Amino acid sequence: MRTYLVTGGAGFIGSNYIHYMFRKYCDEIRIINVDALTYAGNLENLKDVEKRPNYTFIRADICDKEAIARVFEENDIDRVVHFAAESHVDRSIRTPEIFVQTNVLGTAVMLNCAKAAWELPDGSFRENKKFLHVSTDEVYGSLPEDDNAFFYETTPYDPHSPYSASKAASDMLVKAYMDTYRFPANITNCSNNYGPYQFPEKFIPLMIHNALEGKKLPVYGDGKNVRDWLYVEDHAKAIDMVQEQGKLFETYNIGGHNEKQNIEILHIILETLRDMLPDDDPRKAHVNEGLISYVEDRKGHDRRYAIAPDKIRTQIGWEPETMFRDGIRKTIQWFFENEEWMKNATSGDYQKYYREMYEK
Ligand code: NAD
Ligand code: TYD
């Protein structure tokens, strides 16, 4: 039975990945989820799996060398899937240091502990041990808005935000481990994800939540920045396929082939909400374009991201499966069915964050 060490499994993508993996492999794998439970980590995301005998949760910080070394000592880990990170660009602009701490130093600890556990006396590595570093397309910088350029695996790194700079640094560390030690790893750089369990600081869940509450919908700048949206389950599938079928030491870009301006996304969300809300639901009356509010632009706001997922398609056979209009319906349906989750996520510290960020 393969044993996985998943970091950041209580967050958005990590929890979707864990659900995906248990749906796919059932009792054939064991998952150990290591998460510090920051504001972004939520064990409610995993209540469907917490009683499984082949699932273990360990609360630990990836920067804590002793704690991480212990996880490797006490378990024969076959796969590491490293999601844990500070992940929100706006927060990185306000507090960059924690991004360096978690994303760079935390990744160094993960690499070092995995290397110590897997390395043989002659410097080679035990067979069939693999580390997958989950990263972002934001490391490649920003594309011009009107040409047909895309990010490829060979595109030079050019990060702009403290978030993307810290992720770029963590990618470089993984590359350095592969080049220096032949450490068995892969890197995936993925475009923007959306779907169930996404924390409502990110664009799509924030807009769904605000629209339902009749609150303003804060669009940065002219609303024409472009992101390439991918349904989170498609990302989870890609990660598993890269780890099992990809070539070691390679980087794979993962993207949705679904570029849209923020304002277009917002119109689709509003349209879909109106279509899905029953006629007698009082929220239907206020879910409309009148809520849209253009606000000051994000500092250093990257204009356009777009991935060409050609390598993963031709080498591994992965393609995005979920069309945006289907994915957004599924996401909204999930939020309808999980009002309690949203209520909990937006109470407490979130209120303070929201006031400081949007009500200055
Ligand atoms: P998230 O913010 O929802 O979750 C991050 C998780 O990491 C949380 O559970 C949090 O508690 C945990 N964590 C944070 N600091 C930690 C620490 N020091 N020790 C242990 N756990 C810690 O993030 P997400 O959106 O699920 O992103 C997961 C990964 O995917 C990140 O590495 C991110 O860079 C990458 N990524 C995200 C997107 C996206 O659109 N969200 C796109 C591409 C890549
Ligand atoms: P976000 O979800 O923060 O992802 P990222 O910045 O990592 O791509 O933002 C997606 C896009 O939406 C980005 O162009 C910024 C924009 N945005 C807004 O216009 N208003 C908001 O309140 C937020 C959170 C984002």
Side-chain angles (χ1 to χ4, degrees), residues 291-308:
L291 295 175
I292 295 175
S293 160
Y294 286 91
V295 299
E296 188 187 333
D297 208 355
R298 173 187 279 172
K299 287 187 174 66
H301 197 174
D302 285 340
R303 194 62 174 166
R304 173 174 165 248
Y305 302 143
I307 286 256

Side-chain angles (χ1 to χ4, degrees), residues 87-90 138 163 192 198 201-204 206-207 218-220 225-227 229 262 298 301-302 305 358:
S87 68
H88 191 38
V89 173
D90 291 324
E138 302 189 24
Y163 163 66
N192 287 63
Q198 189 166 28
E201 65 185 351
K202 303 278 167 44
F203 185 75
I204 287 183
L206 186 139
M207 295 299 167
V219 175
Y220 299 161
N225 298 67
V226 171
R227 298 293 183 263
W229 295 96
N262 295 334
R298 173 187 279 172
H301 197 174
D302 285 340
Y305 302 143
Y358 295 100

Side-chain angles (χ1 to χ4, degrees), residues 54-328:
N54 53 343
Y55 170 77
T56 308
F57 172 68
I58 298 173
R59 185 171 189 174
D61 188 324
I62 54 165
C63 300
D64 180 345
K65 289 182 214 169
E66 283 77 35
I68 301 300
R70 207 172 315 123
V71 177
F72 279 96
E73 276 156 27
E74 290 174 359
N75 302 279
D76 184 10
I77 303 292
D78 301 299
R79 302 280 185 272
V80 174
V81 184
H82 177 38
F83 293 98
E86 287 292 334
S87 68
H88 191 38
V89 173
D90 291 324
R91 289 184 192 253
S92 82
I93 294 168
R94 295 161 150 252
T95 53
E97 300 90 339
I98 181 72
F99 284 70
V100 177
Q101 173 80 18
T102 295
N103 299 1
V104 186
L105 298 179
T107 299
V109 169
M110 290 306 303
L111 289 166
N112 230 17
C113 290
K115 176 174 171 287
W118 294 345
E119 199 170 25
L120 293 165
D122 68 358
S124 66
F125 287 91
R126 289 168 61 199
E127 249 175 57
N128 203 15
K129 303 290 184 190
K130 298 181 189 182
F131 188 108
L132 190 140
H133 178 62
V134 179
S135 192
T136 165
D137 60 353
E138 302 189 24
V139 298
Y140 297 121
S142 181
L143 291 164
E145 98 179 70
D146 305 322
D147 69 4
N148 248 351
F150 292 97
F151 295 139
Y152 291 92
E153 287 78 359
T154 48
T155 303
Y157 276 31
D158 183 23
H160 300 299
S161 73
Y163 163 66
S164 53
S166 68
K167 290 297 289 188
S170 67
D171 291 12
M172 291 300 167
L173 267 177
V174 180
K175 286 178 203 270
Y177 267 64
M178 294 193 284
D179 291 347
T180 308
Y181 310 112
R182 297 293 285 168
F183 178 76
N186 290 102
I187 298 171
T188 53
N189 295 91
C190 188
S191 63
N192 287 63
N193 284 215
Y194 69 100
Y197 304 107
Q198 189 166 28
F199 192 75
E201 65 185 351
K202 303 278 167 44
F203 185 75
I204 287 183
L206 186 139
M207 295 299 167
I208 294 172
H209 174 248
N210 281 17
L212 289 171
E213 296 272 299
K215 284 200 199 147
K216 284 188 181 156
L217 307 173
V219 175
Y220 299 161
D222 64 2
K224 292 186 179 160
N225 298 67
V226 171
R227 298 293 183 263
D228 174 5
W229 295 96
L230 179 69
Y231 191 61
V232 63
E233 212 175 290
D234 288 350
H235 186 187
K237 181 173 180 183
I239 287 172
D240 180 44
M241 288 177 80
V242 166
Q243 197 159 43
E244 297 316 317
Q245 289 153 245
K247 278 199 218 145
L248 266 183
F249 315 114
E250 296 274 323
T251 287
Y252 292 90
N253 283 351
I254 305 170
H257 261 317
N258 180 44
E259 283 181 64
K260 288 199 176 12
Q261 293 181 339
N262 295 334
I263 193 68
E264 288 178 76
I265 296 284
L266 194 44
H267 286 302
I268 296 173
I269 290 174
L270 289 169
E271 224 175 84
T272 314
L273 279 172
R274 276 195 300 270
D275 186 49
M276 290 176 72
L277 281 167
D279 284 339
D280 59 357
D281 191 309
R283 295 173 296 184
K284 200 158 181 160
H286 63 236
V287 174
N288 61 56
E289 279 65 14
L291 295 175
I292 295 175
S293 160
Y294 286 91
V295 299
E296 188 187 333
D297 208 355
R298 173 187 279 172
K299 287 187 174 66
H301 197 174
D302 285 340
R303 194 62 174 166
R304 173 174 165 248
Y305 302 143
I307 286 256
D310 299 0
K311 179 173 170 183
I312 189 171
R313 189 188 67 245
T314 52
Q315 283 195 10
I316 299 182
W318 176 90
E319 277 193 287
E321 287 170 28
T322 311
M323 299 300 291
F324 188 73
R325 284 189 186 264
D326 298 335
I328 203 73

Side-chain angles (χ1 to χ4, degrees), residues 1 22 27 29-31 49-56:
M1 185 191 277
F22 280 136
D27 299 330
I29 58 166
R30 194 174 151 231
I31 295 183
V49 304
E50 68 191 7
K51 295 214 166 66
R52 295 186 74 102
N54 53 343
Y55 170 77
T56 308

